[in-house]
Amino acid sequence: MSNNRKSYPLSENHADELRASNGFHLDDLTIENILNDKVTMADIQIAPETLSHQAEIAGAAKRYPLADNFWRAAEMTSLPNELIMEIYEMLRPGRALDRSSLDACAERLRNDFGAEKLALFLEEAAEIYTRHGVFSKRF
Amino acid sequence: MTWRHQSNRWRRFDDWDNRPLRLDLFSKDDPSNGFTAWHGENDPTPSLTIKNRLVTAMDSVSVDRFDMIDTFIARYHIDVDIAEEAMAMSSDEIARMLVDINVPREQLTRLAHGMTPAKLADVVARLSAVELTFAYAKMRPREMPSNQGHVTNAKDDPLQLAADAAVAVALGFDEIETTMRVSRNSWSNALACCVGAAVGRAGVLFQCSSEEAEELEIGMKGFTSYAETVSVYGTEGAFIDGDDTPWSKAWLTSAYASRGIKMRCTSGAAAELLMGFHEAKSLLYLEARCLCMQRGMGAQGTQNGGIDGAPLASTIPGGVRELLAENLLAVWLDLECASGNDARHSESEIRVGAKITPYLLAGSDLICSGFGTILKYDNSFNPSSFNGEELEDFLVLQRDFEADGGLRSVEESSMLALRQRAVDALEAVFDAMGLAVPTSTMKQSVVVASGSNETETFSVGDVGRISSAIQQKGITILDVIKVLHQRGFRDEAENLLFLLRLKLSGDFLQTSALIRDQKVLSAVNRPNQYLGPGTGYRVSAERLSELSQIRGELDKDAVITGQAVYAASEAKKISYRDLGDYIPSSEPKEVVVAISPAFGTRLFQTLAGHSLADVLRCLGEGIEAEGMAMRVIRCWHSADTSFLGLTAARLSGSGIGIGIQAKGTAVIHKRGRLPHNNLELFSNAPITSREHYQRLGANAAIYARGDWPEPVIVTNQGEALGARFHARVALIYAIETAMLVADRHPQQVAITFLESSNV
């Protein structure tokens, strides 16, 4: 795929190259395959490569924070739903009692999922939460 | 003087007290208590210090005193490569650039990315309401405007949700949003709207507003395609009370993108005030903080402009202008803007109409972030500015201004079938999944109902059971597509599949994306490039014709057909026989009545709906009651009331004549007067009764014998008669004028009343 703004929309200009994160090809996402139970939810999970491509498109449009979000999202595609929800819950005020649990999560993301950007993001949150007393229990 | 005239106040105040406006509250500007649009007691002066590419002070606060929000904005929003240049510019200069058609949008979005919240607020506060509107038209990210609708009901009834979602799609909404009365019904709402929104066309984005974590879960099952309720607040206290931090919300932002789901944040004036954490800062400054955070989080857009706080913001002086200003801030920062206009800010229809106008004129990525497609009482978010009741008002505003508000009229004849289809589709899914079996009465009641007060349907308890079963069985969008297709709802299955396929591309994650004609349109491929007249979004000829279509349009054929219906019944009541050119008489005991060319020939009813035979009979009775005789002539040289009347007077032996048009407008005239200086005019034909015509005849006779009668006043109740009748009047009058023969002499007409009908 080319990486400039002209490749957008990918659904029109690069449909033949689009795949789900598990490699399932867009061409196989058909009614017939759904009727024959040959499609699972994993087959409609957007691929990290696609999100990276969208990040490049956003960057080319000078929307840098949006691009950064897509880069983080690309890393997040490999995280199971439950883990995403678990970390979200941990980031809410007063859920974690100190930074250790966030740091542990960051390590896990780094080691198990190669999610360096997400790990840094959690470590940054841990630092900020410590400074601003967000770890204090609220209920 | 009677007791009725005793009062210790001017009674106009009673009238004013009784207007809906007086249900609204108005609060005093109070900068130390957060009740201020622009100038909070603790609003900081704009400033920025950067050392080694790091922000060390922002808006008069040094880094060691930053709260979490300052820290987030400094790290994620401020572009240090631009900041020095942008912060050095005068706010006046930038404000002028915002309304300058020669300054491209990109130049301004670039500068915004280097500006602090206080600086951004300082610039937009300098613009008047008109300038804000203009700047908004120039700065909104996507070329074509659009609209979003709420689909909810007071019973959380899934059948009605499906039917109403299908209607919303037909009306042209590109996004629809639901929420629940009872939070555990979220899965049922999501499934029902998802199915309903698939009826009619593909690509309408759908969200189910619920608790943050649950909303994401529902999205992960594939039912929803976007999310909007990622709320952000401008003070740390409100943020923590909202049970989140900028980091937790940024995490959610990425989470949605990682599942191919579009998302925008929510913020808006007065949220912090409502939540009790305003820090004595202005609505605008706090919203500027919210928006900088949202951009920093990487959200593609926002829903702002007060939202739930709009009613409170609107109680404050300038509050409605502030809402416009904060919408402008959003698009200036290059965020998609769903521009509020949802929570109804006033009980005054005038205030509501005025509030929507700038947005309709300027266009907006989504004009309403929740137009109520359902009746007010069915809106589970709260009544919107516009609701099911007022939907046609909005359609007419689009038509009036030829402004694209994203909506279109629906055909009355196709609505029942559409609603039936949606209900049947949902029934198929419920049945196949073993969720519930609606009776035919339930379905029928929902299909025809305007709102949930009229339905016999599932109880709220039933819905709760359906909802938890959807969750527990782990039903996904794939199950729904499969069942719909198997049960014969192939188009709906294909429409849902289309969105799933699109999710793999991530295309609608980009800024301001929507889907029309199976294409993604966003600020990337269809940016707003307004640079003055002739540029930017222009309503196409095709769309213009769509905007102009409204239920019950009149035309000449409709008027003639409408009148022809009465031709036969008139023929049984009266006959007109032409007796040739009228010869003036010297008979002093007569009143001549001049009728217009179409009177009784092509037109048969007055605007008030009176038979013309009856009207003539009334005139004659009135004239005779005062001892005079009526003689009728038909004019061909003019159909104008004044000239009809004056012609009659000139030809009348008594010098008094009556002129009357087929639509019922009448005049009493006197020989020798100027054409438009008549004795009595009956110009309000739509409210002129048969008794009025009788008295008109009597008065003419009284003038004829030289006395001065008490003039007849046709009183009105302040009806906008022009609005109600003028289009019909113009069409009817054109029928009269088309029959004129300039040089034809008035004809004497012999009138015979054919039945002794009651008058």
Side-chain angles (χ1 to χ4, degrees):
Chain A
M1 292 187 197
S2 63
N3 287 332
N4 56 36
R5 269 174 92 161
K6 287 190 179 137
S7 61
Y8 182 88
L10 303 183
S11 54
E12 289 169 40
N13 300 325
H14 295 277
D16 48 340
E17 298 158 55
L18 285 172
R19 288 171 182 278
S21 131
N22 63 1
F24 188 85
H25 201 284
L26 178 64
D27 287 347
D28 297 323
L29 185 47
T30 61
I31 287 283
E32 191 173 39
N33 282 337
I34 292 175
L35 291 174
N36 295 322
D37 295 323
K38 288 183 181 162
V39 182
T40 67
M41 288 303 281
D43 301 328
I44 55 169
Q45 167 60 52
I46 190 170
E49 297 78 16
T50 311
L51 280 164
S52 304
H53 197 162
Q54 294 290 358
E56 280 160 8
I57 292 166
K62 300 192 167 63
R63 299 188 176 106
Y64 305 118
L66 180 62
D68 288 342
N69 175 45
F70 291 154
W71 290 117
R72 286 192 294 272
E75 287 190 352
M76 224 182 252
T77 54
S78 58
L79 271 58
N81 291 350
E82 299 70 31
L83 181 58
I84 290 177
M85 302 307 297
E86 190 186 314
I87 294 175
Y88 170 59
E89 179 63 14
M90 202 179 292
L91 283 168
R92 297 179 103 167
R95 305 304 205 279
L97 294 181
D98 57 51
R99 68 170 296 160
S100 63
S101 50
L102 279 179
D103 284 337
C105 255
E107 271 311 293
R108 191 176 158 203
L109 291 183
R110 191 172 274 124
N111 298 333
D112 297 356
F113 298 95
E116 180 63 25
K117 292 183 179 69
L118 293 178
L120 286 172
F121 184 83
L122 289 191
E123 284 160 358
E124 178 189 65
E127 167 219 327
I128 302 292
Y129 284 16
T130 306
R131 193 191 310 161
H132 293 279
V134 181
F135 290 123
S136 58
K137 188 140 182 77
R138 300 184 65 243
F139 52 84
Chain B
M1 194 161 63
T2 70
W3 64 270
R4 289 190 303 117
H5 302 307
Q6 299 295 322
S7 179
N8 59 0
R9 86 193 291 220
W10 184 33
R11 287 195 175 148
R12 181 69 55 76
F13 284 98
D14 295 347
D15 297 338
W16 287 338
D17 281 349
N18 288 325
R19 285 179 57 77
L21 174 72
R22 278 287 140 195
L23 295 168
D24 293 356
L25 296 179
F26 303 97
S27 43
K28 284 193 192 303
D29 202 65
D30 183 357
S32 50
N33 286 301
F35 278 77
T36 182
W38 317 98
H39 306 294
E41 191 172 270
N42 293 332
D43 280 2
T45 308
S47 74
L48 190 67
T49 314
I50 294 171
K51 283 185 186 140
N52 301 324
R53 300 181 61 78
L54 289 174
V55 174
T56 56
M58 182 175 73
D59 290 341
S60 312
V61 179
S62 63
V63 68
D64 53 306
R65 290 173 36 243
F66 274 7
D67 64 13
M68 267 200 295
I69 293 173
D70 294 320
T71 305
F72 194 89
I73 291 171
R75 290 191 185 187
Y76 286 93
H77 160 67
I78 298 287
D79 187 333
V80 293
D81 292 326
I82 300 163
E84 204 177 340
E85 171 195 350
M87 291 299 289
M89 292 175 72
S90 88
S91 295
D92 278 330
E93 183 188 354
I94 304 169
R96 279 193 289 272
M97 288 167 74
L98 279 167
V99 291
D100 184 344
I101 57 169
N102 300 306
V103 178
R105 180 179 184 276
E106 295 75 14
Q107 200 174 325
L108 285 153
T109 53
R110 176 182 168 275
L111 288 172
H113 298 164
M115 291 164 63
T116 65
K119 180 72 172 176
L120 290 161
D122 185 49
V123 171
V124 295
R126 289 163 196 253
L127 300 179
S128 73
V130 167
E131 290 158 351
L132 290 168
T133 307
F134 183 78
Y136 191 76
K138 171 179 156 179
M139 296 305 296
R140 61 189 176 76
R142 190 204 316 115
E143 181 188 343
M144 61 289 292
S146 170
N147 221 326
Q148 178 197 109
H150 289 161
V151 178
T152 63
N153 63 66
K155 297 176 178 171
D156 287 344
D157 173 18
L159 298 175
Q160 192 187 335
L161 288 168
D164 288 343
V167 171
V169 171
L171 284 164
F173 289 99
D174 289 304
E175 287 187 357
I176 63 175
E177 175 184 25
T178 193
T179 196
M180 296 67 63
R181 296 294 160 116
V182 180
S183 64
R184 67 173 173 276
N185 293 342
S186 54
W187 292 87
S188 166
N189 270 49
L191 175 61
C193 287
C194 171
V195 170
V199 178
R201 76 181 147 104
V204 174
L205 298 177
F206 162 60
Q207 67 151 324
C208 179
S209 170
S210 42
E211 193 280 326
E212 259 84 352
E214 188 163 63
E215 184 164 342
L216 180 56
E217 266 185 71
I218 290 171
M220 286 167 170
K221 294 292 183 189
F223 294 128
T224 54
S225 36
Y226 81 103
E228 179 175 67
T229 38
V230 181
S231 307
V232 167
Y233 305 97
T235 63
E236 205 176 274
F239 222 127
I240 298 286
D241 241 30
D243 205 16
D244 271 295
T245 75
W247 277 264
S248 68
K249 284 286 156 91
W251 180 265
L252 266 188
T253 304
S254 303
Y256 279 112
S258 81
R259 296 305 185 259
I261 299 169
K262 170 179 175 171
M263 72 76 74
R264 70 174 68 91
C265 290
T266 293
S267 60
E272 300 82 3
L273 195 53
L274 277 171
M275 294 172 78
F277 293 99
H278 53 75
E279 298 179 358
K281 287 166 181 163
S282 66
L283 305 184
L284 184 67
Y285 169 66
L286 291 182
E287 180 58 13
R289 277 162 69 88
C290 288
L291 292 167
C292 291
M293 254 188 294
Q294 293 171 32
R295 188 181 97 79
M297 285 158 53
Q300 62 82 29
T302 188
Q303 157 186 235
N304 84 331
I307 313 301
D308 290 343
L312 175 54
S314 305
T315 70
I316 295 170
V320 174
R321 178 166 81 97
E322 191 282 335
L323 299 179
L324 254 176
E326 67 180 50
N327 291 133
L328 174 61
L329 273 184
V331 296
W332 181 19
L333 284 163
D334 203 16
L335 295 170
E336 177 195 55
C337 184
S339 44
N341 297 308
D342 48 358
R344 193 181 178 95
H345 78 302
S346 174
E347 290 287 7
S348 156
E349 293 203 329
I350 291 178
R351 286 187 85 198
V352 170
K355 182 171 184 295
I356 199 74
T357 302
Y359 299 89
L360 183 60
L361 300 186
S364 181
D365 285 336
L366 294 130
I367 291 178
C368 299
S369 46
F371 186 120
T373 73
I374 51 341
L375 296 180
K376 286 192 188 92
Y377 70 76
D378 269 336
N379 198 326
S380 304
F381 292 97
N382 277 325
S384 288
S385 293
F386 285 79
N387 303 279
E389 289 93 333
E390 300 101 352
L391 201 133
E392 289 199 322
D393 297 62
F394 187 86
L395 294 176
V396 172
L397 286 178
Q398 292 188 136
R399 186 180 189 268
D400 287 344
F401 290 108
E402 299 189 325
D404 192 341
L407 304 190
R408 67 174 73 94
S409 295
V410 289
E411 285 282 335
E412 187 171 342
S413 57
S414 61
M415 281 302 102
L416 286 183
L418 180 80
R419 293 176 64 82
Q420 186 74 51
R421 175 102 184 156
V423 167
D424 289 346
L426 186 66
E427 180 191 34
V429 174
F430 275 11
D431 182 49
M433 300 287 168
L435 293 169
V437 181
T439 65
S440 56
T441 306
M442 288 162 73
K443 288 169 56 187
Q444 172 65 14
S445 78
V446 165
V447 167
V448 300
S450 180
S452 65
N453 283 351
E454 303 160 29
T455 61
E456 287 179 48
T457 189
F458 297 113
S459 71
V460 180
D462 290 338
V463 177
R465 284 183 284 278
I466 292 168
S467 192
S468 52
I470 295 168
Q471 187 179 18
Q472 279 158 18
K473 288 172 189 243
I475 293 171
T476 70
I477 190 69
L478 294 171
D479 302 319
V480 174
I481 291 173
K482 184 177 170 183
V483 166
L484 284 173
H485 201 274
Q486 285 170 340
R487 298 289 183 108
F489 296 93
R490 296 186 174 190
D491 289 346
E492 289 74 11
E494 291 285 357
N495 288 346
L496 289 176
L497 178 62
F498 167 78
L499 261 186
L500 275 197
R501 291 170 57 89
L502 211 51
K503 266 188 192 173
L504 277 187
S505 74
D507 284 334
F508 64 82
L509 304 179
Q510 294 287 355
T511 303
S512 303
L514 56 73
I515 300 150
R516 285 190 187 161
D517 301 325
Q518 308 220 346
K519 306 265 186 212
V520 180
L521 311 174
S522 75
V524 176
N525 60 343
R526 297 297 291 273
N528 177 15
Q529 293 179 312
Y530 180 78
L531 283 172
T535 67
Y537 178 70
R538 300 279 142 178
V539 178
S540 68
E542 187 188 359
R543 177 67 175 134
L544 197 58
S545 125
E546 201 169 62
L547 292 177
S548 74
Q549 280 163 29
I550 199 80
R551 202 160 55 91
E553 279 178 306
L554 270 182
D555 60 17
K556 188 175 172 182
D557 289 345
V559 169
I560 291 177
T561 312
Q563 288 283 334
V565 170
Y566 304 105
S569 59
E570 279 290 279
K572 286 182 196 156
K573 285 185 166 185
I574 192 170
S575 82
Y576 303 85
R577 193 157 49 90
D578 281 5
L579 300 176
D581 286 1
Y582 181 74
I583 298 150
S585 82
S586 53
E587 168 55 53
K589 299 192 69 139
E590 71 172 7
V591 171
V592 172
V593 175
I595 58 178
S596 57
F599 194 105
T601 55
R602 295 192 68 193
L603 301 172
F604 307 96
Q605 273 207 337
T606 70
L607 290 173
H610 305 309
S611 127
L612 294 183
D614 290 347
V615 168
L616 271 185
R617 189 192 286 266
C618 289
L619 289 176
E621 283 172 357
I623 292 168
E624 283 157 23
E626 295 297 332
M628 299 278 163
M630 172 171 80
R631 294 178 66 184
V632 176
I633 63 170
R634 186 186 299 282
C635 287
W636 292 96
H637 68 292
S638 175
D640 178 85
T641 329
S642 296
F643 285 100
L644 290 174
L646 192 56
T647 302
R650 282 173 179 162
L651 297 177
S652 166
S654 66
I656 297 296
I658 291 172
I660 184 163
Q661 298 173 315
K663 64 188 170 69
T665 305
V667 70
I668 304 176
H669 229 308
K670 185 176 181 181
R671 188 192 301 149
R673 295 179 78 90
L674 290 170
H676 295 295
N677 193 4
N678 50 57
L679 294 176
E680 291 187 38
L681 177 64
F682 295 74
S683 62
N684 284 340
I687 51 172
T688 307
S689 67
R690 292 196 288 196
E691 190 217 338
H692 288 128
Y693 288 113
Q694 216 158 15
R695 290 169 58 200
L696 187 163
N699 274 13
I702 295 170
Y703 289 117
R705 66 172 192 247
D707 290 337
W708 285 91
E710 195 66 21
V712 178
I713 305 292
V714 179
T715 56
N716 65 64
Q717 303 302 315
E719 301 96 330
L721 293 174
R724 296 185 191 197
F725 292 99
H726 273 179
R728 195 180 299 277
V729 165
L731 289 166
I732 285 175
Y733 195 56
I735 293 170
E736 298 257 33
T737 55
M739 294 173 73
L740 295 179
V741 183
D743 53 0
R744 187 164 179 196
H745 203 268
Q747 303 290 300
Q748 176 151 5
V749 182
I751 301 290
T752 314
F753 294 110
L754 300 176
E755 53 182 56
S756 55
S757 63
N758 54 329
V759 170

